[in-house]
Amino acid sequence: MSTTRAARRSLVAASILLSLACVTPALAEVTPQYFALQPGHTAGVGIGAAADGSVWFAANAPGSGSNPTPGIGRLIPSQASPGTSAGVSLFPTPTFVGSPCCANQVRGVAVDRTRNRVWFSQSDGIVGYADPGAVNPGASAGMIAAQVPGFPDLWDLAVAPSGLAWFTEESASSVAPTYYGDRIASIDDALGVHELENLALQGHPPPLDAQRYDAKPEGITTDSTGKPWFAEADPGYPGYRLATTPELGGAYSEYLITPCQPTGPCSGTYTGTGPADVAVAPDGSVWFTNQLNNEVGRLDVGASTFTSYSLPAIDHTLANGQARAISLAPDGTLWVAELGGISYPAANAIIGIVPSQPTPTATVYKLGAGHAPLGVAPDTNGNVWFTLATDNQTGLIGRLAAVTGSGSASPPPPVAGGFSSGAPAPSATHALTPARVGVARVGAPQTSGGSVKVDQACVGPPADPCSLIFIISTHEYVSGFPGSHASAAKKQRKPKAIVLGRKAVTLHGGEHRKITVSLNAAGRKQLKRAGKLTVFFTATQAGASQGSAKLLKRVKLTLRAKR
């Protein structure tokens, strides 16, 4: 991997619960409003608000069989009326000969407010932009697009201040020499596409690193300098990271959220249900959603530390939901789409977060049955817009009106939420406070001649170090070791362990290191004589109190002399 040593050390994950301490909310009542798409059209995840107040979103039209017609939609608020499709227009995107079949759809939508362009990305590898002043409903006029080689499944889009658009290629190919997908890429206004390396290569010659194959990059954003940040959504070892690269492209810098070992991923592999989306707060911290744990998290880039917050801990009705999209409002607040779907309608909600430190707060706006949020986008007029999946075939666009400041420098006080039907019901605002920190994690030991190598991480804030002792030992009396005799071995019921190698290491929170524990002189001598040696490899972490210790790993291994 070409990741720098500093980036490799930044895999802190403080897996954290939230307190239920309530803060008195402002007594505003907000009832979500819903705007319909034309019959049969479905809304996608992508959504963004333009400078003129119009809202652009992924809107896929019904097609033949399982192959819908990809498209984008526009809602003009001044022409819209809740409960109807007034003010909503739909535009099919350009088609390309040879595009793969089927179920093609627009995934990402990003609005370049400065240049008045609406970028879109599709599951069939098409990426391009629309000119809002030149488009016509029902046609792809006013749009230009390009086909990315290999037809990778494009996911999300983000536009840098320079106008460069970044997108994620969520699919992966192990076919040499191209290795399509599993990377991020940029595109300029002349449709020049520049793809970075597959995440399983990163500067190394083929073949792909099998442990990193199919990291599934999904949500992407850019910070104020134009640097892209993205989430790797695979919940196992290949992904479960946040990553970035310079705006002009280069080596990835990756931050592992929770150490996941190749032999024991967090939950499954290649399922794309881990970190889903990212947003950069005004203080430069990177906030993200985690579908797998139903959490939002914060990466302190300078300290290389993570803090995660459980959403069901602030509202138990959010249990069984999934934290999906996250977006930054002009006033500095963050907005999250929490999807419960048909099975868990109580978990359908939009969550507003004031990311102030050290105690951020969150307010839950409940949507209820039939309103499952997919994507979320604040505008510059104080509104928060979101796309919805419904219990029927027609999608919806939702709005929470006047819930943010209109571009103020500091976040406003949080306001209460409301249910989508019946009388509005205020929702309490809760403080988000860490409750527990992580511990040391040990990877699967690998033998190499007369040594054992292991991937070691310390999970927690830098102030919480991990002190570890690694030991290579044998529980058998072996001829040739000082003081050992065959007769003594037969008489003793519990043979005394003989230490063949030892290493003490202290890592600080967030640090990740490859540890090598080598045989001592006596062990090397025995290995050379016998050709192979069966040993026990033990990793122990010192406890908080003097004399206490925790066994992390004990593995039986066979060391073989190098020929």
Side-chain angles (χ1 to χ4, degrees):
M1 293 170 58
S2 60
T3 312
T4 64
R5 182 178 297 274
R8 286 177 62 96
R9 291 178 177 175
S10 58
L11 41 82
V12 185
S15 208
I16 297 177
L17 301 177
L18 308 182
S19 72
L20 298 179
C22 293
V23 178
T24 303
L27 296 179
E29 293 182 345
V30 179
T31 301
Q33 298 172 312
Y34 299 107
F35 306 87
L37 276 60
Q38 280 82 355
H41 290 73
T42 57
V45 175
I47 184 170
D52 63 1
S54 60
V55 180
W56 294 81
F57 52 91
N60 300 295
S64 58
S66 61
N67 194 23
T69 301
I72 58 176
R74 179 183 63 193
L75 184 150
I76 301 176
S78 61
Q79 301 176 7
S81 177
T84 74
S85 59
V88 176
S89 301
L90 302 176
F91 312 89
T93 54
T95 58
F96 283 75
V97 176
S99 292
C101 174
C102 297
N104 301 337
Q105 57 185 296
V106 171
R107 293 202 189 277
V109 172
V111 176
D112 184 345
R113 293 173 180 170
T114 302
R115 297 159 191 80
N116 195 31
R117 290 175 181 153
V118 180
W119 288 90
F120 58 89
S121 58
Q122 298 184 187
S123 61
D124 54 1
I126 293 175
V127 59
Y129 67 84
D131 177 355
V135 294
N136 294 306
S140 57
M143 301 185 196
I144 60 172
Q147 177 78 67
V148 179
F151 309 107
D153 185 355
L154 308 186
W155 201 271
D156 195 17
L157 273 168
V159 181
S162 65
L164 193 67
W166 287 89
F167 58 91
T168 52
E169 299 181 12
E170 194 261 4
S171 61
S173 169
S174 61
V175 179
T178 49
Y179 303 108
Y180 297 115
D182 199 31
R183 72 188 81 201
I184 67 170
S186 63
I187 183 170
D188 57 32
D189 54 5
L191 300 187
V193 175
H194 174 70
E195 296 177 287
L196 274 69
E197 284 189 300
N198 187 297
L199 285 160
L201 280 176
Q202 300 199 57
H204 292 272
L208 291 168
D209 180 352
Q211 294 181 357
R212 295 303 317 280
Y213 176 66
D214 204 5
K216 292 191 178 297
E218 289 189 0
I220 192 169
T221 191
T222 60
D223 63 18
S224 60
T225 70
K227 179 187 292 187
W229 286 88
F230 62 98
E232 299 177 21
D234 184 84
Y237 190 80
Y240 218 67
R241 294 161 167 83
L242 303 185
T244 185
T245 186
E247 183 186 1
L248 296 180
Y252 296 110
S253 294
E254 295 180 283
Y255 300 78
L256 184 61
I257 298 171
T258 298
C260 298
Q261 304 306 331
T263 55
C266 296
S267 177
T269 306
Y270 315 128
T271 58
T273 57
D277 200 11
V278 286
V280 179
D283 65 357
S285 60
V286 181
W287 287 73
F288 59 96
T289 55
N290 190 327
Q291 277 184 254
L292 181 67
N293 296 334
N294 198 11
E295 295 174 340
V296 294
R298 178 182 184 269
L299 165 63
D300 184 328
V301 180
S304 296
T305 58
F306 285 101
T307 305
S308 294
Y309 305 96
S310 167
L311 295 181
I314 62 172
D315 188 327
H316 69 89
T317 64
L318 300 180
N320 300 311
Q322 296 179 353
R324 293 288 188 96
I326 186 170
S327 187
L328 177 71
D331 65 0
T333 55
L334 296 161
W335 294 85
V336 175
E338 172 80 352
L339 185 142
I342 297 175
S343 300
Y344 306 102
N348 291 326
I350 299 294
I351 303 169
I353 297 174
V354 179
S356 54
Q357 295 297 308
T359 308
T361 59
T363 303
V364 179
Y365 299 81
K366 297 179 182 293
L367 306 181
H371 301 91
L374 301 172
V376 61
D379 64 16
T380 58
N381 300 316
N383 307 303
V384 173
W385 297 87
F386 45 98
T387 55
L388 295 130
T390 66
D391 293 350
N392 55 50
Q393 293 183 342
T394 301
L396 296 173
I397 304 300
R399 176 174 66 182
L400 296 174
V403 291
T404 76
S406 300
S408 59
S410 58
V415 298
F419 290 98
S420 60
S421 60
S427 175
T429 299
H430 301 276
L432 308 184
T433 54
R436 62 185 175 91
V437 297
V439 295
R441 302 290 175 86
V442 182
Q446 303 292 325
T447 61
S448 177
S451 63
V452 179
K453 297 182 178 181
V454 66
D455 194 24
Q456 171 64 42
C458 183
V459 186
D464 292 348
C466 300
S467 297
L468 302 115
I469 296 177
F470 301 90
I471 293 176
I472 300 174
S473 65
T474 178
H475 280 196
E476 298 175 355
Y477 283 113
V478 180
S479 177
F481 283 109
S484 65
H485 302 282
S487 58
K490 292 179 181 179
K491 294 178 182 179
Q492 191 160 341
R493 294 181 179 178
K494 294 183 179 180
K496 181 181 179 181
I498 299 175
V499 175
L500 308 180
R502 185 181 186 277
K503 188 167 188 175
V505 175
T506 296
L507 284 75
H508 293 280
E511 192 172 2
H512 174 271
R513 191 186 304 176
K514 293 282 189 180
I515 306 296
T516 300
V517 186
S518 299
L519 290 174
N520 56 27
R524 292 194 300 271
K525 181 178 179 181
Q526 179 63 26
L527 178 61
K528 183 178 180 180
R529 177 182 301 173
K532 66 178 181 179
L533 191 62
T534 300
V535 299
F536 292 92
F537 179 77
T538 305
T540 305
Q541 181 181 0
S545 59
Q546 187 174 4
S548 64
K550 178 182 179 181
L551 178 64
L552 300 179
K553 189 175 291 290
R554 186 172 185 270
V555 181
K556 188 176 181 180
L557 301 172
T558 299
L559 300 180
R560 301 181 185 277
K562 291 185 177 180
R563 299 294 181 182

